[in-house]
Amino acid sequence: MRRGYATGEARKERILAVALLEFAEHGYRGASLARIAARVELSQAGLLHHFRSKERLLVAVLDYRDELDRRRFGPGHDGHDGGAAALRALADVVDHNARVPGLVQLFSVISGEAVTPGHPGHEWARGRYRRLRADVAAALRAGVERGEFRAGLDAEAHADRLIAMMDGLQTQWLIDPGQVDMAAVFRGYVEDLIAALRPA
Amino acid sequence: MRRGYATGEARKERILAVALLEFAEHGYRGASLARIAARVELSQAGLLHHFRSKERLLVAVLDYRDELDRRRFGPGHDGHDGGAAALRALADVVDHNARVPGLVQLFSVISGEAVTPGHPGHEWARGRYRRLRADVAAALRAGVERGEFRAGLDAEAHADRLIAMMDGLQTQWLIDPGQVDMAAVFRGYVEDLIAALRPA
């Protein structure tokens, strides 16, 4: 029983990893369930036994990627609890992303497509933004409470800016990797922001 | 002759406008030449007489959108010649974009897809970023020369940041329009930046 469970989980994770590469390479619309099934040595019916539909597989892949990021950099990572340390942890995420262009490409293709209402990633993308904005805004407020940041800052607007900067730099870097050092540019932004938000 | 030319140009512009909507709605991969041809009352062969292939049509549509933006906000618009006025002109572009979600959606879907090497929009996206970065960096340097901005600023890094902020906020706004006021958040960023770059 225990062993069957572990094998089932391991197989699911392997399917997610393979599907992630397929979506990253071909986008949601161009991705092929047949190719994914073949690579994990399952029939299409066997694959659909685990993930019901292409849409559900996509959402599972996106959740899987978020989960990996959270394990690596989420609240509690490095023991930070908000403030400047949390903003620097975001810069660590970007450092990490600069080493995994395939994953970043998936995210960029899906986010691009997901702006179209009705796209299966739309709800996921909306939920992700709201969660991320809430987390970053909370980190900024924690910094205000500890006196690292000035009172009265607009936490939501700064959260929107930080997330936009990460996403926009990713796009530039994917399109023209040799021209944009996204990790350095983002870290520069974070350090300028920490300095600008310091109490007078 | 003159009249035939004008008619041909008008027809081309009409094809571009219709194709833009089709790409915006379905992405590059999902867009259908047959639907575009039907909407402009041409056969597919007639459509391909004007634009040779789906790829060339896409690139023509993207150039057409850029051209519309340049006419509206390019160098010389409002008589600005760089510096703070040029940054505020970028904020005017975002104000305008907030009123044309369909166009913005096209750009976002294509930019997202275009991170994949081999996508027909890849070269276009790369060229667009390089041109935009050069224009914005030149505007920042013009501000330094006129004494509006402090000497020694990193014009390329600030250009990357400004473009990333515009693109990233667009994505958020498309995914969750009720939550993000992209025009206000971007204008706030621009005004904070102008203040931060002021000579001491």
Side-chain angles (χ1 to χ4, degrees):
Chain A
M1 179 80 195
R2 200 78 206 113
R3 184 179 169 137
Y5 175 78
T7 311
E9 282 305 293
R11 169 170 293 174
K12 266 202 166 175
E13 193 151 339
R14 166 134 176 77
I15 296 171
L16 291 172
V18 166
L20 195 153
L21 294 177
E22 175 74 14
F23 286 125
E25 206 167 325
H26 301 282
Y28 173 71
R29 292 189 189 91
S32 153
L33 288 184
R35 261 194 309 257
I36 295 169
R39 276 186 210 157
V40 294
E41 296 176 355
L42 280 175
S43 65
Q44 271 206 61
L47 177 62
L48 290 174
H49 168 74
H50 290 285
F51 293 101
R52 309 277 290 267
S53 69
K54 192 180 181 183
E55 294 188 16
R56 292 198 184 201
L57 179 57
L58 174 70
V59 171
V61 164
L62 295 169
D63 284 341
Y64 170 66
R65 197 232 146 154
D66 268 358
E67 177 56 32
L68 293 181
D69 271 1
R70 254 197 303 271
R71 271 186 228 165
R72 227 175 255 119
F73 303 105
H77 160 79
D78 278 357
H80 76 73
D81 54 348
L87 302 193
R88 292 192 177 110
L90 285 179
D92 294 341
V93 174
V94 178
D95 280 346
H96 172 74
N97 286 346
R99 292 191 293 274
V100 289
L103 271 174
V104 174
Q105 184 174 309
L106 167 73
F107 171 77
S108 186
V109 172
I110 298 299
S111 297
E113 286 182 341
V115 302
T116 315
H119 185 281
H122 198 84
E123 278 308 306
W124 171 83
R126 178 139 59 184
R128 176 185 169 273
Y129 272 119
R130 290 188 179 180
R131 215 166 40 237
L132 205 51
R133 176 198 284 128
D135 285 352
V136 175
L140 288 163
R141 284 200 196 89
V144 172
E145 273 167 39
R146 285 210 304 275
E148 282 177 29
F149 298 148
R150 63 176 160 73
L153 58 79
D154 185 338
E156 270 68 29
H158 280 294
D160 287 341
R161 290 183 190 183
L162 279 156
I163 298 163
M165 188 66 78
M166 290 178 85
D167 289 346
L169 288 172
Q170 272 192 9
T171 306
Q172 289 175 32
W173 171 72
L174 285 167
I175 287 175
D176 209 353
Q179 293 286 312
V180 184
D181 184 344
M182 72 163 171
V185 174
F186 185 71
R187 199 169 286 279
Y189 176 69
V190 163
E191 292 302 331
D192 283 358
L193 182 63
I194 290 171
L197 294 182
R198 208 164 276 153
Chain B
M1 178 81 196
R2 200 75 207 115
R3 186 184 167 135
Y5 175 78
T7 310
E9 282 305 294
R11 168 169 294 175
K12 266 202 166 174
E13 194 150 338
R14 167 134 176 78
I15 296 172
L16 291 173
V18 166
L20 195 153
L21 294 177
E22 175 74 14
F23 286 125
E25 205 166 327
H26 301 281
Y28 173 71
R29 293 188 189 92
S32 151
L33 287 185
R35 261 193 309 257
I36 295 170
R39 275 186 210 156
V40 295
E41 297 176 353
L42 280 175
S43 65
Q44 270 206 60
L47 177 62
L48 291 173
H49 167 75
H50 290 285
F51 292 101
R52 308 279 290 266
S53 69
K54 192 178 179 185
E55 295 189 15
R56 292 200 184 199
L57 179 57
L58 173 70
V59 171
V61 164
L62 295 169
D63 284 341
Y64 170 66
R65 198 231 145 155
D66 268 357
E67 177 56 31
L68 292 181
D69 271 2
R70 254 196 303 271
R71 273 186 228 165
R72 226 175 257 119
F73 303 105
H77 160 77
D78 277 358
H80 78 72
D81 54 348
L87 302 193
R88 292 191 177 113
L90 285 180
D92 293 341
V93 174
V94 178
D95 280 346
H96 171 75
N97 285 346
R99 292 191 292 273
V100 288
L103 271 172
V104 174
Q105 184 174 308
L106 167 73
F107 171 76
S108 187
V109 171
I110 298 300
S111 297
E113 287 182 342
V115 301
T116 315
H119 186 283
H122 198 84
E123 278 308 306
W124 172 83
R126 178 140 58 189
R128 176 185 168 273
Y129 272 118
R130 290 188 179 179
R131 214 166 41 236
L132 204 51
R133 176 198 284 126
D135 285 352
V136 175
L140 288 162
R141 285 201 195 88
V144 172
E145 272 168 40
R146 285 211 301 274
E148 283 177 26
F149 298 146
R150 64 177 160 71
L153 59 80
D154 185 338
E156 270 68 29
H158 280 293
D160 287 341
R161 290 182 189 185
L162 279 156
I163 298 163
M165 188 66 78
M166 290 178 84
D167 289 346
L169 288 174
Q170 272 193 9
T171 305
Q172 289 175 32
W173 171 72
L174 285 168
I175 287 176
D176 209 353
Q179 292 285 312
V180 185
D181 184 345
M182 73 164 173
V185 175
F186 186 71
R187 198 169 288 278
Y189 176 70
V190 163
E191 292 302 332
D192 283 359
L193 183 64
I194 290 171
L197 294 182
R198 208 163 277 153

